Amino acid sequence: QARAERQSKRSGQRFNSLEAITAAAQINPDSAEVRSEAITSLALADMRPLRRFESSYRTLKPHAVDAAGELFAQAEPNGQARIRRTMDGTDVAVLERPGVALEWVLAFSPDGRHLALCYAGSELWIWNLDRGEPVAKVSNWSSVAGYSFTPDGAAFIMAKSDGRTDRLDLGTGTMVSSFRLPITGVELSFARDGSLLAVGNTETNLI
C-alpha cells in the first residue's frame, strides 16, 4: 500500500505512504522492505490540504497567511476581513468597514501584528490586530506599483508608479520619509535584517 501511494503522484502521497509504513512497521518492525520504503517516502515532495475555509465572496486577492502560518485572513462581504487560526479554524478577529467592498487582502506584517487591506475607492487601511483598529489610512492606492512591510513590522513601504517610494510608520500612522528609486519597483523584498532592499520589475533588478 505504501508503494502504491508513493507512486500515485497524487496530493498527499507522502503523508499517506508514511501512514501505511507506520502501520506496517507495527506488524513487522525489523522488515528491510519497510525501512527502504520509509526512506524513499521521506524524500517525496508533497502537500495536502490542512483546512478548508468556504467562501462565496469573489474579489481580486481574497486571502493571506501570516509568516508563522498561524493566522489566515479572508475577505468577506460587506467590507469584512475575518481572521482565523489555521490549525483549528477558530475566529480571532473580524475587521469591519461596513458598506465598503474589500478588494485586496494584501499581507500580514512579518510579526503578525498588522494586516494591510485595500478597499473599493483605492484606499489602503493597515489594521493593528491587537487593538482591532486601523493605524494608518492611505488614499490613491492605485498609484502604488509595489509594497512590503519592513522585516521588523514597524513600517510599510510603498513604491509608486512615478518612482517615488514612501515609508509609512505604523507606530504613528504617518509618512516618515520619501525617496526616489532609479526604477519603478513592482516587487520589493527586504533582507531579513532590513539592511538591504531588492527592487525589481520586468526589465531591471536592483539591490
Side-chain angles (χ1 to χ4, degrees):
Q1 182 182 351
R3 185 177 293 114
E5 287 288 351
R6 175 169 57 80
Q7 296 174 346
S8 69
K9 307 301 182 183
R10 295 192 300 261
S11 173
Q13 59 180 350
R14 179 178 187 271
F15 301 95
N16 296 335
S17 179
L18 289 174
E19 288 171 1
I21 289 168
T22 299
Q26 293 174 350
I27 299 171
N28 189 357
D30 298 322
S31 169
E33 184 179 12
V34 170
R35 289 197 298 272
S36 177
E37 280 297 323
I39 293 170
T40 303
S41 295
L42 284 169
L44 290 174
D46 193 17
M47 63 175 63
R48 66 178 177 183
L50 174 65
R51 186 163 300 280
R52 184 184 298 273
F53 298 107
E54 301 291 348
S55 175
S56 60
Y57 184 58
R58 297 291 179 264
T59 187
L60 298 172
K61 187 177 183 296
H63 60 262
V65 180
D66 76 329
E70 297 176 352
L71 299 177
F72 178 83
Q74 179 173 306
E76 296 198 347
N78 197 32
Q80 291 184 340
R82 186 174 298 275
I83 317 299
R84 296 185 175 99
R85 299 193 189 281
T86 55
M87 292 305 297
D88 58 14
T90 302
D91 281 357
V92 174
V94 177
L95 309 178
E96 298 190 67
R97 191 183 175 194
V100 181
L102 175 55
E103 295 185 341
W104 299 72
V105 179
L106 295 177
F108 284 92
S109 59
D111 58 8
R113 296 185 59 233
H114 295 93
L115 178 64
L117 304 175
C118 188
Y119 296 91
S122 191
E123 190 170 16
L124 169 74
W125 283 24
I126 299 182
W127 293 76
N128 181 295
L129 299 183
D130 294 331
R131 303 202 301 263
E133 62 185 26
V135 295
K137 301 176 184 179
V138 178
S139 59
N140 196 24
W141 174 253
S142 61
S143 68
V144 175
Y147 62 88
S148 177
F149 284 98
T150 54
D152 60 5
F156 188 76
I157 308 298
M158 296 172 290
K160 304 294 186 66
S161 55
D162 63 1
R164 191 177 82 253
T165 299
D166 295 333
R167 180 184 179 94
L168 178 64
D169 182 89
L170 300 182
T172 62
T174 59
M175 294 293 181
V176 293
S177 62
S178 182
F179 53 93
R180 283 194 172 274
L181 294 171
I183 65 171
T184 299
V186 176
E187 293 292 337
L188 307 181
S189 180
F190 278 95
R192 184 174 298 180
D193 63 0
S195 62
L196 297 174
L197 173 62
V199 183
N201 56 34
T202 56
E203 298 177 353
T204 308
N205 294 289
L206 297 176
I207 296 178

